[in-house]
Each structure stands twice: as structure tokens, then as C-alpha cells.
Amino acid sequence: MKRDKFATAIVLFTMTFSAQVAHSQRAIAFEGIENARDMGTLVMHDGQTVRTGMLIRSGCLAKATDSDVAVLKEKYQLSNVFDFRFEAEANAAPDRIIDGVSYTHLSTLPKAFIEGFASSGRSDTASVDMKDMVKVLMKYAFDPKAQTMARKLYPAIVTDSLAQCYYGTFLRGVLRAKGGVLWHCSQGKDRAGWASAFLLAALGADREAIVEDFDLSNQSYARQVEAMTAKVREQGGGQEAVAFIRAMIGVSRENFETTLDLIDQKYGSLSDYIENQLGFSKEEQQQLRMKYAIY
């Protein structure tokens, strides 16, 4: 029994260490851009590898420094930015404009969720002081309606017809881009995370690779998550409250995988969803692989 526990501990440690190595290899240490990583080196199911220096996911560019801009222009030859925030978010913390770069705004948060954020006073969270943000999150962590809303977010995104249209627009934009592409939402984790999932699937990634990339945002925000969950527990919060904090500051791997299952059940498969719901054809997917993948 002890040996089994020891073996399990070793496996978990190895998995965690491997994920941390993968994250550190792909992470981009910008000065003012959070949760940034190069999608390059990810291996697809057919053995192809995503090219480095071409595809970047991140948090918003509102606090991008001159040094960050130089890296994006010189190292990544940035030509396109896709912003998945809704209007109030983008207006509260507008992206830094980089000369020669095309900006495309695609709000993939369903209308009901935007109205929910606006009515709760959270529509301008990008400009809220961190102390105020902590108070807001602590308040809603104990609210059953907010907890349910957090669980329903991912299914709402993938089943929303406008969000589907916009994610299809994003994929076609990546295909047509003349240089490096960066996409983001506010923290670069949920809406940008789904964009990454669809892009990786179109490139030929298997489910494991897609889930692992999505989950890496939890490493980017690990300190904040642990600090906030500790506060919740101190105030008597249970598993639902802790899960809310983890989903709001980091990402919920469980909710993500459940929503991937929903896509399979409702639309046949992730591949069928990309072709039929996002309108990104098999031919376009093949062109995408030819552009961004190498053996």
C-alpha cells in the first residue's frame, strides 16, 4: 500500500514537473503582458510540430512596454492582434497600438454574460484596483448564482452562434496573416484559451495537448489563485467557493473538459464543430497546417 502511494506520488510529481518545463520553455517573459506563451513546439497527433515565433496567446496589451513592443515587432514580426474582450473591457484598458499591426475586435462572451458583468459592476475589471478586485471576487465566491454562472460560462461560449462566427473569423485571420499573430482576452485564459483550443484542433492536436495548453494558465496565475483560495477558506468557504475563485483567477480544467464532452455530444466531434459551427473547412485546416506546422 505504501509502495502504491509512493509510486502515485512519483507519477504526479513527474507530470507536474513536465508541465512546468513545457510552460517555461514556451512562456514569454514580457514586462507588461501577462500569461504569454509561444504556441510553437507543440506536437500534433501526426508528428508535426507547430512553428515557433508565429503564434502567441496572452493577456491584454494595455500595459505593454516599449521593450515588449520591440520584442513583438522584431522577434515575432507581429502583424495581427485579435482581441476577444467585450467593448467595456476594451474601452477600460485599450490595447497599446503598435505601428503596422492590424487589430480585430471579436467579443466572444455571450450577451447574457456581458449583461451580468455590467449589472454587477465588473464590466471595467481591467481598470479596477487589485484591492477592490479582491473584495468583488470574495463577495461573489459565496454567491450560488455566481458559482453557477462560472460553471455555465464555457458551455455558453461554445454554443453561442455569434461566438462561433467570431472564432471562425479568428481562424481565417490566422490563416491569412502575413506575420506573427497574437490573440488575447483580458487575462488570456478563458476566451483566448478557447481560441487556442480551436486553433490547435485545426492544426491537428489531440485532446490531451489541447487540455494541457489550456491548463497552463493555472501556472501563470498560481500565486494569485492560492492566495485567494486561502482567504476563502479562512472565511469558511467550501468547495464551491474555492472552485469559483480557481475558475475566475485561473481556469477550470474540469469545466473545460466537460465542455469538450458537450461539443462531442452536441456536434459530433471537435473536428466537426470547427468545420460546421465555426465554418472553417477541411481545406482551410490543411492550409493552416501547411503554414504553421513542420515535421
Side-chain angles (χ1 to χ4, degrees):
M1 187 68 175
K2 289 183 179 180
R3 183 174 297 177
D4 290 342
K5 289 183 177 180
F6 178 74
T8 300
I10 291 296
V11 170
L12 290 174
F13 172 79
T14 302
M15 291 174 63
T16 302
F17 179 75
S18 297
Q20 289 174 342
V21 171
H23 184 257
S24 63
Q25 288 176 339
R26 294 172 47 215
I28 307 172
F30 288 117
E31 293 177 345
I33 306 173
E34 293 186 314
N35 196 23
R37 55 187 178 271
D38 190 325
M39 303 300 284
T41 73
L42 283 171
V43 180
M44 305 297 98
H45 69 80
D46 60 359
Q48 288 187 316
T49 302
V50 179
R51 295 179 184 275
T52 59
M54 301 184 75
L55 301 170
I56 305 169
R57 57 172 294 176
S58 74
C60 75
L61 308 184
K63 297 181 180 179
T65 65
D66 290 344
S67 175
D68 295 338
V69 170
V71 171
L72 289 170
K73 292 179 68 174
E74 296 168 13
K75 182 175 181 179
Y76 295 97
Q77 305 296 308
L78 188 67
S79 66
N80 293 80
V81 169
F82 292 89
D83 183 351
F84 296 110
R85 296 176 297 174
F86 55 90
E87 186 176 4
E89 287 179 287
N91 289 341
D95 276 347
R96 176 164 179 173
I97 301 301
I98 303 173
D99 290 342
V101 174
S102 173
Y103 290 77
T104 303
H105 181 242
L106 303 167
S107 176
T108 55
L109 192 67
K111 184 178 180 180
F113 278 83
I114 295 175
E115 291 172 348
F117 271 74
S119 64
S120 66
R122 288 174 287 167
S123 61
D124 60 347
T125 53
S127 64
V128 170
D129 180 84
M130 182 52 66
K131 290 183 179 179
D132 292 334
M133 175 64 76
V134 170
K135 290 180 182 179
V136 169
L137 289 175
M138 287 298 293
K139 174 185 176 182
Y140 284 98
F142 295 86
D143 183 345
K145 291 183 179 179
Q147 294 168 359
T148 299
M149 191 175 183
R151 288 194 298 271
K152 291 183 175 180
L153 175 59
Y154 295 167
I157 289 174
V158 303
T159 58
D160 184 79
S161 59
L162 186 57
Q164 292 170 355
C165 176
Y166 284 159
Y167 279 123
T169 298
F170 162 69
L171 291 176
R172 285 185 289 277
V174 174
L175 177 60
R176 297 167 184 164
K178 301 300 183 182
V181 180
L182 182 149
W183 60 96
H184 70 82
C185 46
S186 181
Q187 293 176 264
K189 61 186 189 70
D190 298 308
R191 289 160 288 177
W194 278 105
S196 301
F198 298 142
L199 178 60
L200 287 174
L203 285 168
D206 59 22
R207 175 167 170 149
E208 181 180 2
I210 292 169
V211 172
E212 288 304 320
D213 176 70
F214 189 87
D215 194 46
L216 285 177
S217 288
N218 281 324
Q219 291 189 35
S220 294
Y221 297 112
R223 291 182 180 178
Q224 296 95 316
V225 169
E226 292 310 311
M228 284 294 294
T229 54
K231 287 180 178 293
V232 167
R233 290 192 178 100
E234 286 172 5
Q235 295 187 22
Q239 187 56 42
E240 288 292 331
V242 170
F244 174 85
I245 290 298
R246 291 191 181 280
M248 290 296 100
I249 300 179
V251 294
S252 173
R253 179 172 179 147
E254 179 183 358
N255 290 349
F256 182 67
E257 294 202 73
T258 299
T259 307
L260 289 176
D261 291 338
L262 173 65
I263 289 174
D264 289 342
Q265 295 161 8
K266 188 176 179 65
Y267 303 107
S269 68
L270 186 53
S271 177
D272 291 338
Y273 176 86
I274 289 170
E275 182 177 14
N276 300 322
Q277 271 58 53
L278 305 192
F280 197 61
S281 69
K282 296 292 186 184
E283 292 76 16
E284 289 173 314
Q285 292 177 50
Q286 184 57 38
Q287 292 170 14
L288 191 77
R289 291 168 193 156
M290 292 176 64
K291 181 174 183 177
Y292 291 106
I294 56 173
Y295 280 106

